[in-house]
Amino acid sequence: MLTNSDLMALTQLRRALHRRPDISGHEGETAKRIARELTALSPDKLLTGLGGHGVAAVMDSSVTGPTVLFRAELDGLPIAELSGAPWSSEVPGQGHLCGHDGHMVMLLALGRLLQRRPVKEGRVVLMFQPAEEDGSGARAVVADPAFAAVAPDWAFAIHNQPGRPFGNVATRAGLINCASQGLQIRLTGRTAHAADPLTGVSPDMAVAELIPALRDLGAGGALDDDFRLATVTHVHMGEATFGIAPGAAVINVTLRAAQDAPLADMVATAKTLATDVAKRGGLTVRFADCDVFAASINDARAVAVATAALDTLGIKHRAEGVPMRASEDFGVFGWGAKAAMLCLGAGEDVPALHNPDYDFPDDLIPVGAAIFEQIARELLG
């Protein structure tokens, strides 16, 4: 069990991480801090630089058995913090406003527990993943040749969830987080004087046609296998002046589906629509694929293990509030392992994730660590 000294030290560490957030792809300092903390736990193997700045510690029983991976995230968000906490972010325009600082410390707490009382068989991998917020980190980690040495049979993650009763868990077999992708559409024509617009090629009619056409790709609705949602998030055209007819425009749209294949179909259809509209309008078009998240699908066997652990701990759990429309860069770990994501209640009156006044509740640290440890015991003894 975690002692009072443990909890004090872990809380201080969480707040130290909170003060110095790193955004996706730039987690070097956070990764160094995590590697130092893990080194103090004397793991059997420590991997750094996985998929960028990823860090993984292996705690090996030396007895043949499965490999169980527990994941936390290293990155913060490019959002200025307004929580007012004494440990608020010291980095302008950046903050741990999704709770990844707390997730990291829950995993370090698990490391302490397993150091004192090792598992009887198999291996535990403490995986600190980079670039979760933009959807690029898990793919980069799994594609890294070094990952083969710690490739898991089972994978688990916890994400805190404001709005849910403190310490309660939501999970289910099947879809838990939607697949999604940002698509940027750049239309280019030719600017002109506003008094002679016909001497140019304006994207205005193309933009007017594309916005409703893109929205028609998915209207949302029930989160079943047919769920699709297209959200136009940003539009820019021309200059903020009255003397120039525009010659270029940008449309950003987020496409979302319950599965990876339907999402790929949506992306292809959106690109075809934009290509056809641009051609008719005498425009050129370019695309950028951004923030690509695979669907997170919970394996029924992994959910059964997790719920058995929750029952042992006396933690309430149900499937209310899941699956979620929001995406999570954990699904990739489930491509080669039996995986499950758990949503851990942070309290009903806690500010929402990605809000500037959000702060991870430190009292969740021992709860998350206990869940992770009990899952490890269920599988490895």
Side-chain angles (χ1 to χ4, degrees):
M1 63 179 292
L2 296 171
T3 66
N4 288 337
S5 295
D6 286 327
L7 294 175
M8 290 176 62
L10 290 165
T11 297
Q12 290 173 358
L13 174 58
R14 202 283 298 180
R15 294 175 180 181
L17 291 168
H18 190 89
R19 288 189 181 97
R20 304 299 303 175
D22 293 324
I23 60 173
S24 302
H26 301 275
E27 305 96 341
E29 291 305 312
T30 300
K32 289 178 184 176
R33 179 65 184 267
I34 293 299
R36 290 198 301 270
E37 297 291 335
L38 290 170
T39 298
L41 299 177
S42 302
D44 297 284
K45 182 181 293 185
L46 181 65
L47 302 176
T48 59
L50 282 172
H53 295 296
V55 180
V58 181
M59 310 189 88
D60 195 333
S61 70
S62 299
V63 176
T64 300
T67 296
V68 184
L69 179 147
F70 297 94
R71 187 219 65 169
E73 316 94 317
L74 292 167
D75 52 342
L77 286 159
I79 302 173
E81 181 177 0
L82 300 175
S83 72
W87 49 87
S88 291
S89 172
E90 297 171 354
V91 183
Q94 297 178 195
H96 267 302
L97 302 175
C98 201
H100 294 178
D101 51 341
H103 299 169
M104 286 185 271
V105 173
M106 288 193 299
L107 212 51
L108 291 169
L110 171 64
R112 292 188 179 212
L113 293 167
L114 296 181
Q115 180 194 35
R116 294 167 188 167
R117 186 178 168 223
V119 293
K120 292 183 178 179
E121 62 182 43
R123 303 184 299 171
V124 170
V125 177
L126 308 180
M127 178 73 238
F128 296 82
Q129 175 204 322
E132 189 280 328
E133 293 290 355
D134 67 10
S136 66
R139 283 184 175 86
V141 166
V142 171
D144 192 313
F147 183 74
V150 295
D153 302 293
W154 302 81
F156 297 90
I158 289 174
H159 205 297
N160 81 96
Q161 189 176 25
R164 186 173 300 283
F166 181 90
N168 286 11
V169 169
T171 193
R172 71 191 289 269
L175 176 67
I176 194 79
N177 294 95
C178 286
S180 70
Q181 173 177 328
L183 177 65
Q184 185 176 83
I185 303 168
R186 288 189 169 270
L187 301 166
T188 304
R190 186 174 64 253
T191 59
H193 195 291
D196 296 296
L198 294 182
T199 63
V201 181
S202 173
D204 56 354
M205 296 306 294
V207 170
E209 183 177 348
L210 275 173
I211 290 175
L214 290 169
R215 291 179 62 184
D216 286 345
L217 293 177
L223 259 177
D224 54 24
D225 289 344
D226 296 323
F227 173 81
R228 296 186 181 203
L229 178 65
T231 307
V232 175
T233 60
H234 175 76
V235 180
H236 176 81
M237 184 174 69
E239 305 300 328
T241 183
F242 296 98
I244 304 172
V250 176
I251 302 174
N252 288 358
V253 59
T254 300
L255 306 172
R256 200 175 299 274
Q259 305 287 337
D260 295 333
L263 176 63
D265 290 342
M266 291 179 74
V267 173
T269 301
K271 290 181 177 180
T272 298
L273 278 170
T275 300
D276 291 345
V277 169
K279 184 176 181 180
R280 291 199 306 272
L283 305 160
T284 61
V285 62
R286 290 185 294 127
F287 302 104
D289 298 314
C290 309
D291 293 6
V292 182
F293 290 86
S296 286
I297 310 295
N298 276 1
D299 181 90
R301 292 161 294 182
V303 171
V305 170
T307 54
L310 295 171
D311 288 338
T312 298
L313 295 170
I315 292 176
K316 294 180 180 178
H317 60 88
R318 50 185 175 175
E320 183 181 351
V322 290
M324 293 178 283
R325 293 184 175 193
S327 299
E328 197 349 299
D329 192 27
F330 178 67
V332 173
F333 290 106
W335 292 354
K338 297 177 281 293
M341 163 67 71
L342 310 179
C343 300
L344 178 59
E348 294 174 284
D349 297 321
V350 175
L353 300 176
H354 293 213
N355 277 23
D357 57 343
Y358 167 86
D359 185 30
F360 180 88
D362 291 315
D363 288 342
L364 272 186
I365 294 170
V367 181
I371 293 170
F372 278 153
E373 184 193 18
Q374 190 58 41
I375 289 172
R377 304 295 176 202
E378 295 282 339
L379 290 168
L380 306 176

